[in-house]
């Protein structure tokens, strides 16, 4: 098994459920970005969606600064969701 596969296996074990896929994580990440108010273009760029030939041809902006800001905001948001006493108790019992 590859290092990435091992990482996913560990993540599934630590999450106390194996009933999800990497696509589920990507879709959830994209949904949270939208819920946090990020614009459609930035959301699509952050999950590397193809923006269409015409847009790609004329819009050469990478929006790296906005992507980094977005990554920081969503990381803080997710940390706030998972850093709870209830989840810590579940994780302690899962080990």
């Amino acid at each position: 098994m590859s290092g990435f596969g091992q990482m996913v296996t560990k993540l599934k074990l630590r999450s106390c459920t194996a009933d999800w896929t990497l696509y589920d994580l990507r879709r959830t990440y994209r949904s949270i970005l939208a819920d946090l108010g990020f614009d459609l273009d930035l959301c699509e760029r952050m999950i590397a969606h193809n923006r269409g030939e015409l847009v790609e041809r004329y819009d050469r902006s990478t929006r790296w600064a906005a992507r980094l800001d977005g990554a920081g905001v969503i990381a803080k948001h997710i940390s706030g969701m998972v850093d709870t006493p209830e989840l810590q108790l579940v994780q302690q019992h899962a080990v």
Side-chain angles (χ1 to χ4, degrees):
M1 181 180 291
S2 70
F4 184 76
Q6 291 173 355
M7 182 181 66
V8 171
T9 299
K10 286 180 185 177
L11 183 58
K12 285 186 175 192
L13 288 171
R14 293 186 82 192
S15 71
C16 301
T17 180
D19 191 26
W20 55 268
T21 66
L22 292 176
Y23 178 78
D24 293 328
L25 293 179
R26 185 175 192 224
R27 184 181 60 239
T28 301
Y29 181 82
R30 170 63 176 81
S31 297
I32 292 171
L33 286 169
D35 289 345
L36 291 174
F38 289 94
D39 64 75
L40 174 66
D41 179 64
L42 185 61
C43 291
E44 294 299 295
R45 286 173 187 256
M46 290 185 70
I47 61 169
H49 267 180
N50 184 326
R51 299 180 308 135
E53 184 179 333
L54 188 63
V55 174
E56 293 285 334
R57 180 179 300 142
Y58 291 102
D59 182 359
R60 301 297 178 133
S61 172
T62 60
R63 297 189 67 189
W64 281 114
R67 290 185 199 192
L68 289 172
D69 289 344
V73 169
I74 197 168
K76 185 176 180 181
H77 178 77
I78 291 171
S79 291
M81 291 169 44
V82 299
D83 191 20
T84 64
E86 297 84 7
L87 185 59
Q88 290 171 2
L89 183 62
V90 169
Q91 288 175 334
Q92 289 172 357
H93 290 290
V95 175

